[in-house]
Amino acid sequence: MNRFVARSLMRGLIDGCNHSRRGISTASRVNPLETVGLARNHQSASALGGLYRTRMISSVTPGPTTTTLAEKKEIDREEGVESEKSDKAAVVSSYWGTSRQKIKREDGTDWPWNCFMPWDSYEADLSIDLKKHHVPKAFLDKFAYRTVKILRIPTDIFFQRRYGCRAMMLETVAAVPGMVGGMLLHLRSLRKFQHSGGWVKALLEEAENERMHLMTMVELVKPKWYERLLVLTVQGVFFNSFFVVYLLSPKLAHRIVGYLEEEAIHSYTEYLKDIENGNIENVPAPAIAIDYWRLPKNSTLKDVITVIRADEAHHRDVNHFAADVHFQGKELREAPAPLGYH
């Protein structure tokens, strides 16, 4: 019996000492000032052989951590910085007024295009005369006409009756003259402090319209890598050549464009024949074409080619008219530019 009591007393002393050490170390992390009191409690508990073990454990269990005033200020400051950053980010996005306004279609749906707006869309004039031809009489007229006919030979050899790819190539070239002419007239207007008579706007609208033709054709025709390479080559050569020609003789430049547009009308007419004969599938019209030309929702490729051909006929008349103004010895600013239709 004495041995049993002695053994229990020794075990209580050992367990109490070990637990008191753990309790002291834990308490010191919570609050150093409570360490001494905790140690004294554990020493008394160890003397009674673990009788107060449960009480000791509960006394050293750390309570909820309290936040000091300095820590609160630091947290508030960090939260303020983060909120300030988010506010600045929100302000930057619209500081210059560049955020896009909400634009709707007529049916109330969101306008999906960034490349043009609803007020840029229009209905093509399908009643325009497609067979009109300027008969070359003067030397420059004949030179322009022969030049265009010669340029058509390699195009016919390369594309043959692949009119989708031909149209893609044609539009990359057709979009250059309006940009070159508009740019040079713009610079001339700045140098001479003169109005352009609206011709800068008219020619740039023509260039933009031809570019939209290209964007439409790209949706229909997926050009191969060598066709893209050919586009880069032809555009680089044609841009620089036309730039020089327009500097030397604007009337020759506009006459060349007039005959180029006549060839474009012929190419699109052949394109339509292949669609009607079933050689080319009459697929649904791309969404961009439906919105740009205000076509019905069920429009097809045939409808798209029809309105593009009408646009080319309009460009033909505009450029032949510009050439005639120059042949009369006048400047373009002296004649009203045909604005309001691309």
Side-chain angles (χ1 to χ4, degrees):
M1 184 67 181
N2 293 333
R3 286 183 180 181
F4 179 77
V5 174
R7 187 178 298 173
S8 301
L9 182 59
M10 291 297 296
R11 184 177 298 173
L13 290 173
I14 294 171
D15 294 341
C17 290
N18 292 336
H19 192 76
S20 64
R21 290 173 185 173
R22 290 195 299 266
I24 292 171
S25 60
T26 306
S28 62
R29 289 197 298 267
V30 177
N31 191 343
L33 297 178
E34 297 177 358
T35 304
V36 177
L38 292 174
R40 292 175 180 174
N41 291 337
H42 288 301
Q43 288 176 0
S44 60
S46 62
L48 296 177
L51 181 62
Y52 298 96
R53 187 181 304 169
T54 305
R55 181 179 177 182
M56 179 273 299
I57 292 175
S58 62
S59 65
V60 299
T61 302
T65 306
T66 57
T67 305
T68 63
L69 182 59
E71 290 175 342
K72 286 183 178 180
K73 290 183 178 179
E74 181 66 18
I75 293 173
D76 293 340
R77 187 182 66 82
E78 292 177 355
E79 291 178 352
V81 171
E82 291 297 328
S83 62
E84 184 178 356
K85 287 181 179 179
S86 61
D87 291 341
K88 286 183 178 180
V91 171
V92 167
S93 63
S94 60
Y95 181 79
W96 297 105
T98 56
S99 57
R100 181 181 175 182
Q101 56 181 332
K102 295 293 183 180
I103 303 175
K104 301 286 185 180
R105 289 193 181 103
E106 293 180 355
D107 58 3
T109 58
D110 292 333
W111 183 259
W113 312 109
N114 292 325
C115 53
F116 71 100
M117 294 293 113
W119 48 86
D120 298 320
S121 62
Y122 64 99
E123 296 180 3
D125 182 12
L126 301 182
S127 64
I128 193 169
D129 187 0
L130 300 174
K131 298 181 179 180
K132 190 185 298 183
H133 169 63
H134 183 275
V135 179
K137 297 178 180 179
F139 171 75
L140 287 181
D141 288 352
K142 295 178 180 179
F143 179 79
Y145 183 73
R146 294 300 176 187
T147 299
V148 172
K149 287 297 184 181
I150 292 173
L151 291 176
R152 179 167 180 167
I153 295 175
T155 305
D156 290 340
I157 294 174
F158 184 81
F159 292 107
Q160 298 181 1
R161 296 196 68 83
R162 292 183 297 143
Y163 286 106
C165 297
R166 179 195 290 263
M168 181 196 66
M169 172 62 69
L170 180 66
E171 298 303 342
T172 61
V173 173
V176 170
M179 179 60 65
V180 172
M183 175 185 65
L184 292 177
L185 287 179
H186 173 73
L187 296 176
R188 180 185 178 90
S189 176
L190 296 179
R191 289 195 308 271
K192 294 194 172 184
F193 309 103
Q194 295 174 341
H195 290 289
S196 68
W199 279 96
V200 172
K201 183 176 178 60
L203 294 179
L204 292 181
E205 282 184 350
E206 176 185 317
E208 175 64 12
N209 180 245
E210 297 285 8
R211 191 185 66 83
M212 290 302 299
H213 291 178
L214 176 61
M215 295 298 102
T216 301
M217 296 310 302
V218 169
E219 293 290 328
L220 297 168
V221 181
K222 305 301 180 183
K224 300 178 176 61
W225 68 268
Y226 56 85
E227 292 171 340
R228 291 176 178 269
L229 181 61
L230 181 62
V231 166
L232 293 175
T233 304
V234 172
Q235 188 184 81
V237 173
F238 183 76
F239 175 87
N240 291 283
S241 301
F242 189 82
F243 181 84
V244 173
V245 171
Y246 204 99
L247 284 176
L248 298 176
S249 177
K251 58 184 175 182
L252 174 62
H254 282 291
R255 191 67 80 197
I256 289 175
V257 177
Y259 286 127
L260 282 174
E261 299 296 353
E262 290 184 12
E263 294 298 326
I265 295 171
H266 174 74
S267 296
Y268 282 117
T269 300
E270 294 297 317
Y271 198 170
L272 285 172
K273 287 181 180 178
D274 279 0
I275 295 175
E276 292 171 354
N277 295 334
N279 298 329
I280 298 177
E281 183 181 0
N282 190 22
V283 297
I288 189 172
I290 292 175
D291 284 334
Y292 185 68
W293 282 286
R294 300 176 186 172
L295 297 173
K297 298 296 183 181
N298 59 346
S299 297
T300 61
L301 174 60
K302 181 180 178 180
D303 301 317
V304 175
I305 301 304
T306 300
V307 294
I308 290 179
R309 184 178 62 173
D311 288 347
E312 303 295 0
H314 176 71
H315 301 327
R316 171 204 62 191
D317 294 345
V318 170
N319 281 277
H320 279 316
F321 171 62
D324 289 342
V325 172
H326 283 293
F327 270 100
Q328 294 172 7
K330 299 180 181 180
E331 295 183 1
L332 289 181
R333 64 186 181 87
E334 300 179 47
L339 296 172
Y341 175 63
H342 305 300

